[in-house]
Amino acid sequence: MSAQPEPALLYSEEEEALRAAVRDLLTDHCDPAGVIARTESAAPHDVPLWKALSDSMGLAGLLIPEELGGQGATHRETAVVLEELGRAVAPVPYLTSAVVATEALLACGADDLLPELASAATVAALAVGLHVAPGGTVPHVRLEGGLLHGELSGIADASIADLLLVPADDGGLYAVRAADATVTPQVSLDLTRPVARVTLDGTSGRRIGDAAPAVRRALRAGAGLLASEQLGLADWLLTETVRYLKERKQFNRQVGGFQALKHRLARLWLEIAGLRAAARNAADALTTGADTDVAVAVAQAYAAQVTVHAAEEALQLHGGIGMTWEHPVHLYLKRAKADSIAYGTAGTHREALAESVHLPAP
């Protein structure tokens, strides 16, 4: 029995170059004040930013083969992009369309739809609640007389989607144009990734494949790469908090010089270093296919705790300014809390991990 290769956790030169390019673009097009302003409007998604990411860099098609108009890249490069989008808490449908919906279409072999996603001419959303974990129970709609009937809730980025991928009770996954469905916004804690209710009332759709394997593959990729987004969130929160504590003075000395605060920051740095290893391992496992279920479960069992802790520490250590609407830390806290239940809670992933290594709960 040959030994499996060691996971590649370090960033390559190409990945670092990609990171620099994405960060530069986000610096120019996604400032915190602009994101906050969008959350107060009726259009929280940043469509111009989404077009810039797609048109100038081709990021919407990273996971799509070149022959279908994509970049033919791997989950490792996609993870780097999600890190940077997390750092900017960017209100774009990248995770939902360029990762989750794309993986579902790849699993179904829907080659006619993938070029639309690669060019960002179409934004797609998998019509499965954001809280559903890989392998979890997937709500579906009824298929009667060739038409779809039913309601699905908690669908992330459905309000901006052009195409909905809907599981039905016949076991199929159906492509439905969003214009033919009723999409109703729901109250969302995370203002930068809104959720909605999708209602189908005798809506036509095209069966593109079997729902079970496609949804499982899509949710597994979503959960695994969500850890990279959470890493970006936590890394920004730590960096910004350290910067603030170096500038803030109390009793004529830097606040960051107080030993108790140094200890809190050091602990957080260690937690984020562990999250980086787990997130990179999940991205590498999705790329190579080696122990993917275990790597994804490990990453998501750990990521939520670290990211929420980073947001809470940032909020507290920014003092009074951290409690204001004008400071962006509240956006990161809300995204961190929403991400903690996205694609399964930490507890759900711990249970899956225990079963996968034959240690089921009593």
Side-chain angles (χ1 to χ4, degrees), residues 71-98:
Q71 302 298 316
T74 72
H75 296 86
R76 290 175 56 90
E77 290 84 7
T78 308
V80 170
V81 174
L82 280 165
E83 281 185 42
E84 293 306 309
L85 293 176
R87 285 182 60 88
V89 71
V92 293
Y94 191 83
L95 182 64
T96 49
S97 183

Side-chain angles (χ1 to χ4, degrees), residues 38-65:
R38 285 194 175 278
T39 65
E40 298 175 309
S41 72
H45 292 98
D46 192 338
V47 176
L49 174 61
W50 172 246
K51 293 298 183 183
L53 290 167
S54 306
D55 296 343
S56 63
M57 304 183 69
L59 298 183
L62 275 187
L63 293 176
I64 298 174

Side-chain angles (χ1 to χ4, degrees), residues 123-154:
V123 173
L126 180 66
V128 174
L130 185 60
H131 63 284
V132 178
T137 301
V138 177
H140 53 257
V141 299
R142 303 185 316 277
L143 181 68
E144 296 178 359
L147 299 177
L148 300 169
H149 302 260
E151 184 177 278
L152 300 165
S153 62

